[in-house]
């Protein structure tokens, strides 16, 4: 198949491109390297060194024996995007080119407006370009489990049957996102669903949980082929941050009670699931939703697992409790479905501690890089500090 990856220089995109060519697919992709800039803006760096795009593309050709067809094209540059897709004629488009951080979107008005414009208009442009130049392609759109929020009922995969005042219907499950970033994914969901219904496009909207991990097998041991691994408060996700904190002897930064429960999955599972989705496209005009995660865990359970993995590689890991800068529920029900991918053959990697051990071993050689940025490990971006303080929300009151 011909697969186009929007955001191919990123954490998931770079890994996915390698996995797909190993399976015999032809891959093209775009990027304008904003992730590199954002991480610099928040005064951090990737724990694993990230090579220049030229070095990456050369290594890709050398190791995998094929070219990754690459262009520096912004999704907001509609004519350039349209032209690239018209020439490549993809069977599938995997859209990973969004600003992915909740805290970054909550910094101030400028960052919130940038996040919403970049994500929503970029995705809208992909839909229009598909309609105009490749209407049979399958859009694999990266959404987030965060679209659903944490409702006090089970979470289905996108839709649920509801009976209201004596009548029944199958409707989209309510979205209650908890940041301006997560809300962009809700807006994308509505636009994508509408485009499938109106123009007959086909799409899988992936509600992905929090990803962690340093590698997948396709990367081998060539450092030029490794993906990035962020650990700052914006672009580092919980377990990636915890593993970096563990290798420099910083207490793991659990926010509030640490009882928040989310769906998590290793990087290798994310790539496995995206590949299954690409290779099993929906019908023309179909819009479907997959919830994508290995299992649900509380943040505290994951911190305990990092501690266990740390002990196995000789690290004495301390768990710390920090005031939660986000406005989110600490004690809540959380029971999402994730059956669709399993029905298509997804085999979850259940040994999370083994995955964490691999991460710690990959990160230990880069201890000095993380150590240099040690001061940025404790967060200072607040959802609403004044209100938070006024309500005296603290670890003690939320435990
Ligand atoms: N958390 C901590 N300590 C930390 C970092 C996070 O306790 O040092 C907590 C957060 O308060 C939150 C949970 O861990 O309750 C998850 O936070 P996260 O930063 O790992 O993930 P999140 O902000 O939810 O966003 C990440 C990705 C995003 C994706 C989302 C999937 O950055 O792109 O959409 O995971 S999900 O969480 O299922 O919505």
């Amino acid at each position: 198949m011909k697969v186009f990856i929007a955001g191919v220089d990123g954490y998931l995109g770079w890994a996915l491109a390698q996995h797909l060519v190993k399976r015999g697919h032809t891959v093209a992709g775009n990027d304008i390297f904003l992730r590199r800039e954002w991480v610099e803006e928040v005064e951090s760096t990737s724990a694993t060194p990230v090579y220049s795009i030229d070095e990456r593309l050369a290594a890709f050709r050398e190791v995998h024996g094929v070219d990754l067809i690459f262009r520096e094209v912004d999704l907001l540059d509609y004519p350039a995007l349209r032209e690239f897709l018209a020439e490549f004629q993809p069977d599938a488009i995997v859209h990973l080119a969004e600003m992915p951080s909740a805290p970054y979107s909550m910094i101030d008005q400028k960052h919130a407006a940038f996040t919403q414009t970049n994500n929503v208009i970029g995705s809208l442009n992909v839909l229009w370009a598909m309609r105009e130049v490749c209407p049979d392609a399958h859009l694999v759109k990266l959404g987030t489990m965060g679209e659903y929020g944490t409702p006090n009922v089970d979470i289905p995969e996108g839709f649920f049957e509801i009976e209201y005042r004596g009548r029944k219907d199958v409707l989209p499950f309510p979205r209650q996102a908890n940041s301006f970033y997560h809300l962009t994914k809700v807006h994308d969901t509505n636009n994508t669903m509408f485009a499938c219904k109106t123009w007959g496009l086909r799409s899988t909207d992936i509600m992905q949980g929090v990803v962690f991990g340093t590698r997948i097998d396709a990367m081998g041991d060539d450092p030029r082929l490794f993906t990035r691994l962020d650990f700052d408060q914006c672009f580092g996700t919980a377990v990636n941050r915890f593993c970096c904190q563990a290798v420099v002897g910083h207490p793991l930064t659990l926010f509030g009670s640490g009882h928040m429960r989310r769906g998590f999955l290793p990087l290798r599972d994310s790539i496995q699931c995206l590949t299954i989705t690409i290779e099993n496209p929906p019908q023309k005009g179909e819009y479907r939703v997959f919830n994508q995660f290995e299992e649900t865990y509380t943040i505290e359970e994951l911190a305990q697992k990092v501690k266990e993995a740390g002990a196995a590689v000789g690290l004495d890991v301390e768990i710390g409790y920090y005031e939660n800068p986000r406005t989110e529920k600490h004690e809540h029900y959380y029971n999402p479905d994730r059956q669709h991918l399993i029905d298509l053959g997804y085999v979850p990697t259940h040994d999370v501690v083994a995955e964490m051990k691999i991460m710690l071993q990959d990160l230990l050689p880069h201890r000095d890089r993380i150590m240099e940025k040690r001061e940025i490990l404790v967060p200072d971006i607040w959802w609403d500090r004044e209100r938070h303080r006024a309500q005296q929300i603290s670890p003690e009151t939320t435990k």
Side-chain angles (χ1 to χ4, degrees), residues 68-318:
L68 167 62
I69 305 159
F70 177 79
R71 270 189 215 170
E72 192 172 336
V73 162
D74 188 349
L75 295 191
L76 298 190
D77 180 350
Y78 185 67
L81 168 67
R82 187 179 179 283
E83 185 183 304
F84 197 176
L85 291 178
E87 280 175 32
F88 183 60
Q89 284 299 314
D91 299 301
I93 298 173
V94 189
H95 182 7
L96 307 173
E98 295 195 285
M99 200 299 293
S101 162
Y104 189 84
S105 76
M106 299 299 290
I107 294 176
D108 56 19
Q109 182 277 338
K110 193 170 137 248
H111 288 82
F114 166 77
T115 302
Q116 297 231 338
T117 309
N118 182 71
N119 290 6
V120 179
I121 305 305
S123 300
L124 187 66
N125 287 349
V126 171
L127 293 169
W128 274 101
M130 284 178 71
R131 185 198 180 201
E132 293 188 352
V133 301
C134 50
D136 291 328
H138 167 204
L139 175 63
V140 179
K141 169 70 183 66
L142 193 72
T144 169
M145 282 300 293
E147 290 189 34
Y148 301 120
T150 51
N152 198 31
V153 293
D154 291 355
I155 301 174
E157 300 193 67
F159 295 89
F160 72 144
E161 194 184 57
I162 180 164
E163 188 174 341
Y164 180 62
R165 294 186 179 166
R167 298 182 67 82
K168 280 189 186 166
D169 204 348
V170 176
L171 296 177
F173 189 75
R175 299 324 202 243
Q176 303 185 82
N178 197 36
S179 74
F180 286 120
Y181 150 70
H182 285 97
L183 280 160
T184 65
K185 301 277 186 165
V186 178
H187 305 327
D188 292 343
T189 282
N190 287 328
N191 288 346
T192 307
M193 198 168 17
F194 173 76
C196 290
K197 192 172 65 182
T198 308
W199 298 332
L201 300 185
R202 66 181 99 205
S203 178
T204 309
D205 207 351
I206 307 277
M207 302 299 128
Q208 180 164 255
V210 190
V211 182
F212 61 94
T214 41
R215 63 161 73 216
I216 60 164
D217 295 345
M219 288 169 189
D221 284 320
D222 188 326
R224 296 172 301 168
L225 294 177
F226 274 31
T227 196
R228 58 180 311 118
L229 197 287
D230 294 302
F231 55 88
D232 63 276
Q233 64 177 314
C234 288
F235 298 96
T237 50
V239 177
N240 286 353
R241 279 166 58 75
F242 292 167
C243 287
C244 290
Q245 291 162 351
V247 302
V248 295
H250 190 286
L252 308 191
T253 55
L254 254 70
F255 299 162
S257 66
H259 293 172
M260 302 78 81
R261 183 173 284 278
R262 300 283 184 274
F264 283 81
L265 71 166
L267 179 62
R268 61 182 84 244
D269 284 28
S270 170
I271 301 306
Q272 184 198 156
C273 289
L274 290 170
T275 304
I276 289 172
T277 304
I278 293 163
E279 293 175 356
N280 294 277
Q283 299 297 314
K284 207 162 160 42
E286 185 181 348
Y287 167 84
R288 63 184 185 183
V289 178
F290 290 176
N291 292 350
Q292 180 167 305
F293 57 92
E294 181 263 322
E295 198 40 273
T296 69
Y297 300 94
T298 68
I299 307 305
E300 200 173 41
E301 283 165 358
L302 289 167
Q304 288 296 347
K305 288 184 191 296
V306 173
K307 191 176 168 69
E308 191 186 326
V313 299
L315 295 169
D316 185 13
V317 178
E318 188 192 332

